[in-house]
Amino acid sequence: MKPAPKPTPETQPFWDGTAAGELRIQRCEPCARHYFYPRPSCPRCGGDQVGWVRASGRATLYSYVINHRPAPGFEDEAPYAIAVVELEEGVRMMTNIVGVPNTPEHLKLDMELRVVFERRGDVSVPLFEPAGGAR
Amino acid sequence: MTIVIAGAAETDEVGRLPGHSTVQLHLEAARNALADANMTIHDIDGIATVGTPGPIQIAHALGITPAWLDGTGVGGSSFLFHVRHAAAAVKAGLCRTVLITHGESGRSRVGAGRFGLGADSLLGQFELPYGVVGPPTSFTITALRYMKETGLTHEQLAEVAVAQRRWAQHNPRAMYRDLITVEDVLSSRMVAYPFHLLECCLVTDGGGALIVTTEERARRSPVYLLGSGEAAESPIISQMEDFTTSKGFRLSGEAAFGEAKITHEDVDHLMVYDAFAHVPIYGLEDLGFVGRGEAGAFIAEGHTSPGGRLPLNTNGGGLSYTHTGMYGMFAIQESVRQLRGEAAAQVPDVEVSVVLGNGGMFASAATLVLANHLP
Ligand SMILES: [Zn+2]
């Protein structure tokens, strides 16, 4: 069983979003900037005029490693990529890349990706696949 | 008031010590540092140490009644923070002489703390669900971005491990001493692409301790603290601003160099926390010793190796010497030895040494500028 996140009050809207098939991130109204991870004040101005928006789900591959010693729950997938993607909205998040072999030849930095969701117990986690779909 | 390191020592042995608990490692290091300083527990009125078991238990176990305690725990750089905080406390008159201890049964896990964070932590929600297995699969994740943006090659990354093994070869206490080649590194087991086993730090048991006080109270030739800096970036590596440079390294380095009023030309010796082979590359660039993207070639050309112009990680570092989990204490110890002229792989004429510590996955950083005489 892969590890599943346990939401906290400030992150609950994010996980409500993933359960509904949406990638929701926060945006500061005065700064007009998005940020991630979920928290109650804007990391740029310190203000609390922050809201939730639905991200497009489009992203690019920022960096990754290919792990050869699997974490519990990942035994059938090793070696697998632990990746950081950059969303179109400018924020980054850690994820896994699916729908493509997890090899250096297939995982090119800056390749275009789109979000998909994987159910883990009570929550859904965002994963990313090539923008043209699984190949 | 002039702040000095008046005593410094490691445990009798480092490496595989299944017969030593975490507390024993702290106490052995503390007793060795006191002996090194020609001091006793009655000279100590301040204590700083991190995590398990923390300053209260260590002070109590040693028989010290502290007037000042610091339990700052920001990962492997914590001991550099402790030196900086101890200096401030002594200058402020809060205490006179501070003992800083580290002991960690990182390999044998005897009397050690538990690993892990809850599924409701920041890490548990936003990184652990993706199959992270500790530092080898997360601290490393910046490297491919750095390689793409700077042109660093796999061979140059391997050269970091090769260069440090050249130093370890001369250090009888180093866990690994046989010379290695780039080919050896690249053919060692893949841990987390692009990192091979020989590009990842050791996991060992051991400890070290320091005594920070004023020049007047020192009872042996002291090492002077000319400057220090501390900084933090992000608690989880995915939120680091830019994967090709450490903000913590830059800011702590600028503060330490500024306070010490030194330039890079003044530095004879450098220690950069090397949990993984890319970290010294970031350290060289973020401290300003080389330009952006130049560190890989600088190391590959031998400038940090024995005989080079900027001796780096001269104990063999976390890749070849020892790495208990919080390596910063050992980086400071090697700087002190080099400044005293007592190192196993002694560099000639070291007068100024810089130590850069990392905590977590580029999460915290601290820099110390140390010297064996005042400018
Ligand atoms: Zn704002």
Side-chain angles (χ1 to χ4, degrees):
Chain A
M1 176 85 173
K2 291 178 178 175
K6 184 178 175 192
T8 45
E10 79 279 19
T11 67
Q12 189 66 54
F14 177 83
W15 298 114
D16 289 344
T18 58
E22 292 184 8
L23 190 62
R24 295 177 189 161
I25 58 174
Q26 284 172 296
R27 183 174 182 275
C28 175
E29 303 302 341
C31 292
R33 278 161 65 116
H34 300 93
Y35 68 89
F36 181 82
Y37 50 92
R39 50 206 193 274
S41 64
C42 166
R44 187 175 190 224
C45 70
D48 63 355
Q49 293 179 58
V50 297
W52 288 89
V53 296
R54 180 178 181 177
S56 71
R58 288 189 288 271
T60 54
L61 183 55
Y62 184 61
S63 201
Y64 66 89
V65 291
I66 300 174
N67 180 22
H68 286 249
R69 190 183 58 157
F74 285 79
E75 292 84 355
D76 296 340
E77 301 185 17
Y80 58 91
I82 299 164
V84 172
V85 299
E86 183 167 304
L87 302 188
E88 190 174 56
E89 291 79 10
V91 304
R92 298 191 188 118
M93 61 178 62
M94 191 174 278
T95 189
N96 296 130
I97 306 297
V98 296
V100 60
N102 278 198
T103 63
E105 294 70 32
H106 288 89
L107 297 175
K108 297 295 186 194
L109 293 198
D110 301 316
M111 68 190 284
E112 294 183 356
L113 304 165
R114 69 182 184 199
V115 72
V116 295
F117 297 93
E118 180 179 281
R119 193 83 187 161
R120 301 250 183 107
D122 296 335
V123 296
S124 290
V125 297
L127 308 180
F128 286 79
E129 67 175 18
R135 48 181 87 146
Chain B
M1 192 181 289
T2 303
I3 301 298
V4 303
I5 295 174
E10 298 179 2
T11 44
D12 296 345
E13 294 176 78
V14 292
R16 298 183 183 87
L17 306 170
H20 287 64
S21 72
T22 302
V23 172
Q24 280 177 297
L25 294 166
H26 275 270
L27 268 52
E28 185 176 295
R31 286 193 303 268
N32 290 349
L34 286 166
D36 179 74
N38 295 318
M39 288 185 181
T40 73
I41 56 168
H42 306 295
D43 294 300
I44 304 297
D45 62 353
I47 185 115
T49 185
V50 62
T52 307
I56 297 170
Q57 186 175 337
I58 296 303
H60 188 257
L62 282 165
I64 290 166
T65 304
W68 177 86
L69 300 92
D70 182 7
T72 299
V74 288
S77 62
S78 298
F79 316 103
L80 288 85
F81 281 70
H82 295 157
V83 170
R84 178 173 159 90
H85 298 176
V90 171
K91 279 186 178 171
L94 305 181
C95 58
R96 293 183 296 271
T97 303
V98 175
L99 173 67
I100 302 167
T101 70
H102 166 59
E104 191 169 11
S105 184
R107 185 182 188 94
S108 304
R109 311 296 308 166
V110 184
R114 294 267 172 271
F115 282 126
L117 283 164
D120 59 355
S121 68
L122 195 56
L123 193 70
Q125 292 189 62
F126 298 108
E127 294 197 347
L128 295 181
Y130 302 109
V132 167
V133 191
T137 57
S138 53
F139 205 167
T140 48
I141 203 167
T142 67
L144 282 182
R145 189 79 220 172
Y146 178 92
M147 293 169 83
K148 171 156 182 171
E149 295 199 7
T150 66
L152 180 84
T153 65
H154 293 275
E155 288 74 18
Q156 286 173 329
L157 188 62
E159 290 273 12
V160 177
V162 172
Q164 295 194 189
R165 189 62 65 85
R166 291 186 187 121
W167 288 109
Q169 184 196 16
H170 303 291
N171 184 355
R173 280 166 65 88
M175 181 170 264
Y176 294 125
R177 297 189 294 273
D178 293 338
L179 286 176
I180 52 174
T181 64
V182 167
E183 184 51 40
D184 292 333
V185 177
L186 296 180
S187 61
S188 65
R189 180 167 61 80
M190 188 66 84
V191 174
Y193 174 86
F195 287 81
H196 305 80
L197 185 65
L198 293 178
E199 291 159 324
C200 303
C201 68
L202 305 166
V203 183
T204 63
D205 309 318
L210 297 163
I211 292 167
V212 173
T213 189
T214 60
E215 183 178 22
E216 294 72 30
R217 288 198 171 83
R219 297 192 190 134
R220 59 162 298 164
S221 57
V223 164
Y224 296 89
L225 178 64
L226 300 187
S228 64
E230 65 186 73
E233 187 170 350
S234 164
I236 51 176
I237 196 165
S238 59
Q239 301 309 308
M240 194 176 172
E241 268 181 18
D242 178 343
F243 273 19
T244 71
T245 173
S246 162
K247 186 162 87 173
F249 285 8
R250 293 198 312 274
L251 295 178
S252 75
E254 286 166 14
F257 276 65
E259 187 188 7
K261 299 186 179 64
I262 61 159
T263 67
H264 294 89
E265 287 67 43
D266 297 319
V267 178
D268 304 308
H269 173 254
L270 177 62
M271 296 300 291
V272 176
Y273 196 112
D274 60 326
F276 297 92
H278 62 317
V279 185
I281 289 174
Y282 286 61
L284 283 169
E285 294 183 9
D286 291 332
L287 288 178
F289 284 99
V290 298
R292 176 175 165 78
E294 294 176 0
F298 187 79
I299 292 169
E301 287 161 10
H303 299 306
T304 64
S305 289
R309 62 183 146 113
L310 184 58
L312 170 68
N313 293 346
T314 51
N315 56 358
L319 298 181
S320 288
Y321 175 54
T322 205
H323 196 307
T324 52
M326 290 184 283
Y327 168 76
M329 173 60 79
F330 300 97
I332 305 170
Q333 295 284 341
E334 175 65 8
S335 279
V336 170
R337 287 191 293 263
Q338 288 285 349
L339 290 164
R340 288 172 169 178
E342 297 173 350
Q346 182 65 44
V347 174
D349 307 319
V350 176
E351 297 180 10
V352 175
S353 175
V354 169
V355 192
L356 171 62
N358 165 83
M361 320 304 153
F362 289 119
S364 78
T367 304
L368 304 178
V369 178
L370 304 173
N372 56 14
H373 60 84
L374 288 173

